[in-house]
Amino acid sequence: MIDPASPLLNAPNRVSPADFAGWVQERSLYMPHTFDAHYHAVLAMNDPGEPSRDGAILVAPLGKGTYVYTTLSFFRQLPAGLPGAARLFVNLLGAGRRCCDAM
């Protein structure tokens, strides 16, 4: 977790490293190598033996709202019944502008 204090990882559900246990095949796809400075990286990810990449969740203020970009494979995690994926997905859906006010 790059920014464990981010509202995306704390509201309405607290998401911790334990919430990623048991994630199935292709936890993340097409993670960017670089991204614009307007984005704030919230979560990094890597496979064992591979370097960490910071683009798993990127967030930026946009107009009156918030733009959230994620490479996480919720299409695999949610059907697998992983509670941590469900908690994080709900947090992303309710991101709102509050997550970017301090950036």
Side-chain angles (χ1 to χ4, degrees):
M1 296 185 163
I2 296 170
D3 184 4
S6 170
L8 292 176
L9 299 176
N10 290 285
N13 303 296
R14 173 129 167 67
V15 177
S16 72
D19 286 306
F20 295 95
W23 279 44
V24 298
Q25 168 190 359
E26 297 172 342
R27 295 167 298 156
S28 178
L29 295 167
Y30 309 115
M31 197 175 306
H33 292 277
T34 62
F35 47 87
D36 189 85
H38 288 95
Y39 290 95
H40 175 71
V42 176
L43 184 67
M45 216 170 237
N46 63 289
D47 285 327
E50 296 291 327
S52 184
R53 304 260 304 274
D54 293 348
I57 297 177
L58 301 172
V59 62
L62 181 64
K64 294 181 181 182
T66 302
Y67 181 83
V68 177
Y69 176 83
T70 184
T71 63
L72 299 176
S73 300
F74 288 107
F75 73 99
R76 295 203 187 276
Q77 312 318 316
L78 295 173
L82 297 168
R87 282 191 285 276
L88 180 55
F89 192 74
V90 168
N91 288 7
L92 296 180
L93 289 176
R97 185 158 172 80
R98 72 186 187 286
C99 78
C100 296
D101 289 339
M103 287 190 240

